[in-house]
Every structure is written in structure tokens, then in C-alpha cells.
Amino acid sequence: MKIQHAITHIILLIFLCKSATGQNKNNLNLWYSKPASKFEEALPLGNGRLGAMVYGGVQEERLSLNEATLWSGKPVDENKVNPQAKDHLPAVQEALFNEDYQTADSLIRFMQGAYSQSYEPLGNLLIHFKHQGTPTHFRRELDISQAIARVSYQLNGTSYRREIFASHPDQLIVIRLTAEGKDRLDFTCRFNSLLRSKSKKQSTSLWMHGWAPIHTEPNYRNKEKNPVVYDTLNSMRFASMLKVLKNDGQTSWQDSSLAISNAKEVVLLLSMATSYSGFDKNPGRAGKNELDLALSYLKEAEKQSFASLQAKHIQDYRHYFDRVSINLGHGEKANLPTDERLERFAKGDGDNNLVALFYQYSRYLLISSSRPGGQPTNLQALWNEIVRPPWSSNYTTNINTEMNYWGTEVANLPEMHQPLFDFIGRLAQTGAITAKNYYNADGWVCHHNTDIWAMTHPVGHFGEGHPSWANWQMAGVWLSTHLWEHFAFTADADFLRKQAYPLMKGAVDFCLSFLTTNKDGYLVTAPSTSPENIYITDKGYKGAVLYGSTADIAMIRELFADYLKAAVILKKDKKTQEAVTNALAKLPPYKIGRKGNLQEWYHDWEDAEPQHRHVSHLFGLYPGTTISDASTPELARAVQKSLDIRTNESTGWAITWRINLWARLHNSAMAYDALKKLFRNANDPEIIKKGEGGLYSNLFSTCPPFQIDANFGGGAGISEMLLQSHEHYIELLPALPKEWPDGEVNGLVARGGFVIDMQWRNGKIVHASIVSKNGGSCKVKYGTHNQEIDTKATRKYTLKF
């Protein structure tokens, strides 16, 4: 049980004056002076399960719709994917330990399976207005302080306004349209979808009913004549329903459309559902009744007024969002459209509060796409309108899925981490089968990517996938470190005992079974890769498979350390503790290469691509904790050299990893340099042409193309520049750049459950406070000064830093 203590306030008066820089409420809006013309300009709404991209057109409003459980495919039987895979393992290991890497690269392809399935778009709600003339005073906005999208304009003396939100309490999307002036609302509504579907009027609602494909080929694979295959008996079904809650005009129907005329105010309720009933249930034969489910949400909501629906939505959302505020100064540009602000920033015109807006937007996106009881965020979080989306819009677990949750705890949103933990539990079930079938190992394993069906085998279509990504098997290890992080921030002993520990132990058991002794006497992973990167041996061979990559060992070292702390707290499994302790002592140490860099490979080999986007071998610094400039300065310098070689030029998510790494090294200049590169204007065709990271008009990040991970990774990076707690102390402003001389942040959380507020002027803290959620004591560091605080006592402290 989590320790319950009265919340204790401790005021840390570091300088005499107190900053007056409060949260700028005007800087919590993304707004534009024209409608969206494409997905990357539209504005996202979500309640964790339902998603909508709002385009804000004048003649036609388009809501691009998603439901988090709408995927192609059905449950995977891991026993049938590649049951002979483990038979090839001894030959692969023999080749590796004979330093025959070419043979290992070839043989490991026999240890691959099928590709994942795809996250699918539900369709569109189209609202066509019978407007005549040219509108003025157009404004399209997303208010992230309330999670409401709005569109307003004037036309022929009439003011038109739309308000749209995705309610979590009522599990609906609510749309309110008004007209004030001489004219009235006159519009028609209809559904359409890229999936197989049909629309009709049913009672007093407009329905669309359809089916997801039973199989969707990845967008990068074009060898199949029929890349999208339907089987309406076994595939996922979906339904969307539109109902009029209020209309002071006239309503008329056709078979597949709804028409409203002569109205001043209209409120529409949009409900969606699928037949998904679990990762191990056939969605066609054993699925839920999607029609009854969607209808049930409508029946509950139609008893309420718009004001009641909106009030519940705002209260629910702000319960999470209002926990953190941030102001980095330079808020005067908030009166400019967001796309113009981005364009100016990319050209060097500083806009610190655009950075603050981006940070809060990352929190908004997480609240909108990851709610307890639901699915975790995928590559596009919740928002996708392509049947064969980039990389299947799946869960890419060699960085992207984990990055989505890096900043969750420090951003004071621990509840939003829960969908990932529940998903890990599902992966552990299928992963136990994969561990046996591929490695003859105990515990559970997961590879490069997965989907809603919790597939855990290596992808690659049985040999065509490149081993550098297809055969990487450390996802279960990496994901399990998130379980300990949640406990480190919350001290939730029930969570540790009931959910985290069993899953961590399963990942540990796999590692103990899989690790093998090499000729140097070290326990190593074999086979091993460093995600998506290629080495060049001293003999000139370019390969992917080796033994004991630095990334593998760093992740295992982190998991083992986390496990031992958890096992000691819970007083469990003495024999496993002993085995882990012994294994830790036999893992190969970090090595520094001849260039002064942290070696990525077991041997001091060259990289085929020195500026590669992945920096997995630097895991020990971030998000891991086994390297730091305080405790391992020589290794920290080697990490810095590796970053110097890699450079800050990269794709979107890779840039944000660099932000976090530089912040951990206390290098504010390089962290900010990476941040600036993240804020490149992705609307510039040259940015996309070069394959560089940046932001679109709606502040979605691009790999390219659009992926959500850099939004979350960038938010984590900003937090890391302002607050760190991975050592045995809390550090304030560890990587504050000179570009943020004045600012304020309230509500960030440090490990141990300490909530931090602080203000600074001219780069120096002038006021800070700390609130303990759990009691206990902590150490606070600021610059070269340290202070120990005992929060069990209800005392105020003046810190003379």
C-alpha cells in the first residue's frame, strides 16, 4: 500500500525576490487564420479511445475519425508462426563465436515471422454547409487548456461558430454549431470510409457500419497483389452513429444523410465502437456487439444537456492538465497564428513560449490518446487516416513506443502510463510462447514491433526482413524498465507487487536463459543487434548480427538493477536475486573506443553510417541510469564524443533522444541546439526531401512522415532540461539554456513523488517549492549547492544556495 502522509509544503527561498511570470493562458491555444487543407494542418481531439482530426472548412467541415481498437487482423497463434525457429539458434551462435558474421546474418533470417497488422482509419464525418459568399474573421483553434476545438467566421452578416470536444466521461464526440445574425444554419451530414462500410438512417440516428481488413500489408512492402484483404466473418467490425441532441430548426433524412435547416443552434452526438473484445479473442466470431455498444453511449448522453456534457468533459480533462504550468517568457507572439510562429521560429526568431506551448501540447496529446483501461499510444498515437499507414502505425518497440512514455511521470500524468503497463502484461503472455519457440528460453520476449494482438515474434516475412531491425529481441527488457520508473515516481507498492514485479521477473528470466558465455568469459546476448544500425568489421564486412551489443547489455544491466531493488523491497525470490547478482558481475563492461567514443559494438568497429539516427548504445545515459557525468565521468565523456560524431542532425524522434542525452550531460547549449532542429518547419518541402525532423503546422512531429514520438520525446527533453532526479538527488535547472533567462514551471514531479515549483530570473532561481506526495526525505541540488530535506516534518526550509 502506498504510504499515506499529509502533504507537506517546504518553501525553498533561494533568492529574495519572487518571479511574477505566471502561466500565460493565452499561450494555450493553437490557432490559424484559414482551414486545414491536409492532415498535418488539422487539429487533433481525443479521449483515449476516440480520435478526430478537425479540418475546420467553411463549405465543408471534415472530422477524420479513429477508434483506438480498430486494427486489421485477428489474434496470432505464436505456436504456429515459426515453430522451428529455435532449431537455427545453435548454428547462429556458433557462427558468431567463430567470428563468421556473414553466415550469422544469413542464418538468422530463418528465425523470422510474419509482419504486424495495421491500425486502421474508421472514416470521416462530413458536414456540408450551404454557404454563399466569402467569409471574414476566420479563426480555427485548439484550446488545450480545455481540450476543445473551435471554428468561427462571419458571412453575410452572420457569425458562425463550432465547438467540438471528445468526452472521456461520456465516451462521445460532441459538436455544437451556432449562427448569430440574419441567416441560419443549413447543412447536411454524412459518413464515408476507406474501409468496407455502408451508411443508413436508423431510427433517429445516422449509422455507418463496416469491417476492417483481415490483413493489411505494411506500406513499405509491395510484393503482394492484394495488400488489403477482407474477411467479414473473422475481421474487426466497427460502427459510428450520429444523433441530434438539440436542433431549433428542421431535420430531414435521406437513406445515408442527415439534413438540418433554419437553425440557430444544433448539438450533434457522435458515437463510435468496434467489436474488439481482447487481444486473444476473434473480433468477428467472438467480438463485442459494436452496434449495441455505440448505441449505449448515445442513450446515456441524450439524457443530458450540452452544458452538462461540456462541463463534465472540462472537469475530467483539467483534473490532469492543470497539474503543470510552464512559462518560458517571450509570450507576445501568442497573438500570431501558430503556423506563422513556427515559420518565424524556424528562421531564427526566438519564441520561448512556443516551446512552452509545445511542451503543454505534448501533455495534451498524451491525455488525449492514452487513458487507463485503453490502448497505449502507437506510432501515430490515435490519429491516422490511411489504410496502409507508415510502418503500419503499429507499436514500434525498439524506441518509438517507449519514447511516447518517457515524459509521462515527470509531467505529472502517471495515470496515462497505465495503458502501456496493461499492454506489457498482454505481451508477456504471447512473449512466453515466443521465448520458448525462438530461443528455448524461460520468461517472455518481444521483438522490434507489435500490434493490438500482442504479437511478439520477429517480423520480416520469414527471411526478407533485414536482421538489423527484424531480429532485435530486447523490447521486453526495455519496456519492463518503465514498470520500475512508475514505482520510482509514485512509490505505489501495490502496483509494484501485483503488476510490475511479475512482469519484470519474466523479462529477467528470459535474460538469464538467453545470456551465454563468450570466449572472454562474459555473459553476452547472442544473437545481438544494435537497432537498425550496421557495423564494419576490421576485415571490411558490413553486417548487423553480432554478440553482446552495447545497447543489449545496457538495457539488461538497467533491468537487472531495477529488478534487484524491487525484489529487495518485496522480499521475494532470493534464488533469482542471487542469479541476477552473479549475472550482473559477468556482463561485459562499457568500452571506450579508439576515437574516445562509447563503443556501440562488442569490438571497436566502425559504423557504416556514422551519423545514424539511432543512438541505442547510449541507453545507459538516457533513459537508463548506469552512466552519468557525476558517477561515471569517463563514460559520460565517451557518450559526449559519440554524440559529437552522430551530430544533432536527424529525424524527428532521433533529435529528441539527443535533447534528453545532452540534458543528462548538463550541456544546455547542445540540448537547445537539438531542440531548435526539432522546430524546423516541416511545411518546407526541402525538410521532407532531406528526411529531416521538424514540426508541421499543427505541431505534429515528422520522422518524416508524421509520427507522434517526437512530440512526446520533445516534451520529455524539455522536462529533463528543467528537472532531473535519476541520481540520488533532485537537481533544479540542470540544463537551462541561455535562451530561457526568465521563466516559471509548476507541478513537475521528481522520483520519490516530489512535486516541484520554481521561478528563475536572469538564469538564476529566485523561488522554489517542493511538495511531497509520500513523505520521506530527499536531497536537492542546484548548481554546486546541495541541501538535504526531511519532508516527514511539517517545517519550512530556507535554502542558502
Side-chain angles (χ1 to χ4, degrees), residues 455-505:
M455 55 151 277
T456 49
H457 59 260
V459 295
H461 198 73
F462 305 96
E464 75 174 28
H466 199 284
S468 66
W469 47 268
N471 291 93
W472 181 78
Q473 68 281 96
M474 288 290 110
V477 176
W478 192 343
L479 287 167
S480 294
T481 64
H482 280 254
L483 297 161
W484 175 258
E485 276 291 274
H486 182 68
F487 174 77
F489 276 90
T490 64
D492 187 341
D494 280 346
F495 166 79
L496 184 66
R497 181 176 61 257
K498 295 177 181 178
Q499 187 168 25
Y501 182 82
L503 296 174
M504 293 169 64
K505 184 178 184 300

Side-chain angles (χ1 to χ4, degrees), residues 723-791:
L723 178 71
Q724 294 179 18
S725 60
H726 58 286
E727 297 280 14
H728 299 295
Y729 50 81
I730 298 168
E731 186 168 10
L732 309 180
L733 303 184
L736 183 73
K738 62 180 178 58
E739 289 81 2
W740 302 343
D742 305 321
E744 175 180 353
V745 64
N746 301 298
L748 295 184
V749 181
R751 289 166 182 82
F754 298 98
V755 183
I756 309 297
D757 297 347
M758 53 185 166
Q759 299 89 40
W760 62 95
R761 291 286 195 187
N762 299 317
K764 302 291 185 181
I765 287 183
V766 295
H767 177 266
S769 67
I770 181 169
V771 176
S772 173
K773 293 182 178 181
N774 306 307
S777 60
C778 65
K779 295 180 181 179
V780 178
K781 182 176 186 293
Y782 174 57
T784 59
H785 305 283
N786 299 276
Q787 179 69 51
E788 291 195 24
I789 301 171
D790 180 6
T791 59

Side-chain angles (χ1 to χ4, degrees), residues 649-721:
E649 293 290 344
S650 200
T651 57
W653 62 263
I655 292 173
T656 67
W657 199 343
R658 286 154 171 79
I659 297 170
N660 284 277
L661 287 163
W662 284 119
R664 281 277 172 98
L665 291 172
H666 295 80
N667 193 323
S668 59
M670 290 303 293
Y672 187 75
D673 176 75
L675 185 68
K676 285 194 300 182
K677 288 178 169 58
L678 176 63
F679 275 70
R680 288 183 291 215
N681 186 3
N683 301 298
D684 182 349
E686 287 300 311
I687 297 296
I688 302 300
K689 182 179 178 181
K690 294 176 182 177
E692 296 177 336
L695 301 178
Y696 291 109
S697 295
N698 62 2
L699 300 188
F700 271 177
S701 60
T702 175
C703 184
F706 160 59
Q707 286 182 191
I708 202 71
D709 37 36
N711 287 100
F712 296 133
I718 293 168
S719 295
E720 204 70 20
M721 295 167 75

Side-chain angles (χ1 to χ4, degrees), residues 9-41:
H9 292 269
I10 302 157
I11 306 303
L12 292 75
L13 298 177
I14 302 171
F15 287 85
L16 293 178
C17 59
K18 181 178 179 180
S19 170
T21 58
Q23 173 87 358
N24 184 352
K25 294 297 183 183
N26 293 327
N27 199 44
L28 292 175
N29 287 283
L30 285 72
W31 75 273
Y32 308 84
S33 58
K34 60 181 182 294
S37 62
K38 55 185 178 180
F39 178 85
E40 294 82 6
E41 295 174 355

Side-chain angles (χ1 to χ4, degrees), residues 215-217 221-230 388:
H215 177 72
T216 304
E217 283 291 313
R221 190 170 187 270
N222 297 301
K223 296 184 178 182
E224 301 293 330
K225 292 183 179 179
N226 298 308
V228 181
V229 180
Y230 284 89
R388 297 178 68 195

